[in-house]
Amino acid sequence: MNYILFDDYARNNLLPLTFLRPVADIRVGILTIREKWEKYLGVATSTLTETYLSAKFPIVKGQHNILINGSVLPNAKLVKEIGELTPNQALVNEDVIIAMFVEAEDLDKIGDGDTGGIREVKTLTETQRIQFTWDIVSGNAQAIEDDFKLITKGRKSEPIPDGTKVAGDQVFIEKGAEISMAFINAKSGPVYIGKGAVVMEGAALRGPVALCEHSVVKMATIIYGATTIGPYSKVGGEIENSILFGYSNKPHGGFLGSSVIAEWCNLAAGTNTSNLNNNYKNVKAWCYTKERFVDTGLQFLGLIMGDHSKSGIDTMFNTGTVVGVSSNVYGAGYHRNYVSSFIWGSTAGYVGYDINRAIEVAELVYQRRAKVFDDTEQSILKEVYELTYHNSRK
């Protein structure tokens, strides 16, 4: 059986996080949504997404195809129901397609939005979806717990290093992790420390917390749950209920709360986020599909930052701030609650950021991690620039 993860209408609600990736490559919990499905299914998946992303995330077509909604988080019951589908059947939950069984000759019609002839089967399983950027924040605690069980089942953790203090028994340390005189409290949720991760002296982790492979937690860092530090990310200061997708840094002092930071971002020393309104009302945040601020239903929400964006020293982000792709914000005072893509500036004013300069910086950042910002990556970033150009001139 061939499995394809597809983007549905939730993709646009998840901007700016989905400008450079399919929905399935969002990280929530320890794993990305794709990695979760591949763990459950035991096979690799491909993607049906936007045309400009398809060179990096190509679709693989088979004779027998199961298309799975990339915004849906898997569980054992759901996987079982999907496995029982027959050709031209779709598993649905209210008006949402969870999965479809499509033969090769009908697959291109699905890509064009033609679902005629598909018979619906209502799921009996409760489903969890990531429909808005803030769902990543509100769903991260449960996702860490679910992934922790999935990853560690039947496996034995590496021993707790001498000098590290641990409370609770939900701690799993992968081979190659380095932990030095840290404090870990896993009574309130699991703590997962990935392969090659480094936890320096005096760091304090209170679960649920996930440190993905080769992430670094600097000395005296304080991390509250539910927090995920993605692969090759480096963090310091104080962090609470936040997710760094990977290859992003918040290496110095400052508070990051109830936030989602995409890849290749850098938060400079003293960057702080507000995640609670002074009047204690629900936080409103920018929605790309509605082109206005909407009620998130959350009392706590900090910063949503797209890929390749950065902050300067002592930058302050107000409650529910959204920053697009490849923007650089700096200077004293609170910034706008919405900063679009390819913007440079301070509270004194913003200007558009030239795409060629953005590519130059991205190439240098990739080189620091021994990676290449190749033609495919450049093409995607240029496409996002064209998509957002009218906003970057403001």
Side-chain angles (χ1 to χ4, degrees), residues 3-198:
Y3 293 93
I4 301 166
L5 302 179
F6 70 89
D7 288 350
D8 73 353
Y9 60 86
R11 178 191 178 273
N12 291 333
N13 292 331
L14 289 162
L15 296 172
L17 303 177
T18 49
F19 271 128
L20 298 184
R21 64 180 54 77
V23 173
D25 290 284
I26 284 174
R27 187 175 303 277
V28 54
I30 302 171
L31 306 170
T32 66
I33 300 173
R34 182 187 306 280
E35 289 168 343
K36 299 177 203 295
W37 279 108
E38 292 182 346
K39 287 277 187 185
Y40 272 102
L41 297 169
V43 296
T45 63
S46 67
T47 308
L48 177 59
T49 186
E50 298 294 308
T51 301
Y52 76 90
L53 291 172
S54 61
K56 183 176 180 180
F57 304 95
I59 188 172
V60 176
K61 301 177 182 181
Q63 179 57 45
H64 308 294
N65 305 279
I66 297 286
L67 277 69
I68 299 174
N69 191 323
S71 69
V72 175
L73 275 55
N75 58 59
K77 291 182 179 179
L78 199 57
V79 170
K80 183 176 183 296
E81 285 188 293
I82 290 172
E84 294 170 349
L85 289 174
T86 59
N88 296 320
Q89 275 191 335
L91 190 67
V92 300
N93 180 10
E94 296 180 352
D95 62 341
V96 177
I97 295 174
I98 304 299
M100 292 183 289
F101 190 137
V102 182
E103 301 284 23
E105 57 269 21
D106 296 320
L107 189 56
D108 289 336
K109 298 176 185 178
I110 297 295
D112 293 333
D114 181 3
T115 57
I118 297 290
R119 304 184 308 277
E120 293 186 354
V121 177
K122 294 193 184 226
T123 179
L124 302 176
T125 303
E126 183 177 348
T127 58
Q128 182 181 357
R129 293 184 69 210
I130 302 301
Q131 301 180 71
F132 296 93
T133 55
W134 45 88
D135 290 340
I136 302 169
V137 172
S138 61
N140 203 48
Q142 186 62 55
I144 290 176
E145 295 200 16
D146 292 343
D147 287 350
F148 186 87
K149 293 175 184 176
L150 181 65
I151 292 172
T152 65
K153 185 178 180 180
R155 301 176 61 219
K156 185 177 179 181
S157 170
E158 293 294 302
I160 305 294
D162 293 339
T164 290
K165 303 297 183 183
V166 174
D169 57 3
Q170 298 185 87
V171 177
F172 194 94
I173 303 171
E174 296 282 5
K175 188 175 181 179
E178 298 178 22
I179 308 171
S180 183
M181 294 182 287
F183 302 91
I184 301 174
N185 186 341
K187 289 184 175 182
S188 56
V191 175
Y192 174 83
I193 301 176
K195 179 181 177 181
V198 176

Side-chain angles (χ1 to χ4, degrees), residues 212-226:
C212 299
E213 62 177 357
H214 298 289
S215 58
V216 176
V217 178
K218 298 183 73 176
M219 292 175 63
T221 302
I222 300 170
I223 300 181
Y224 298 92

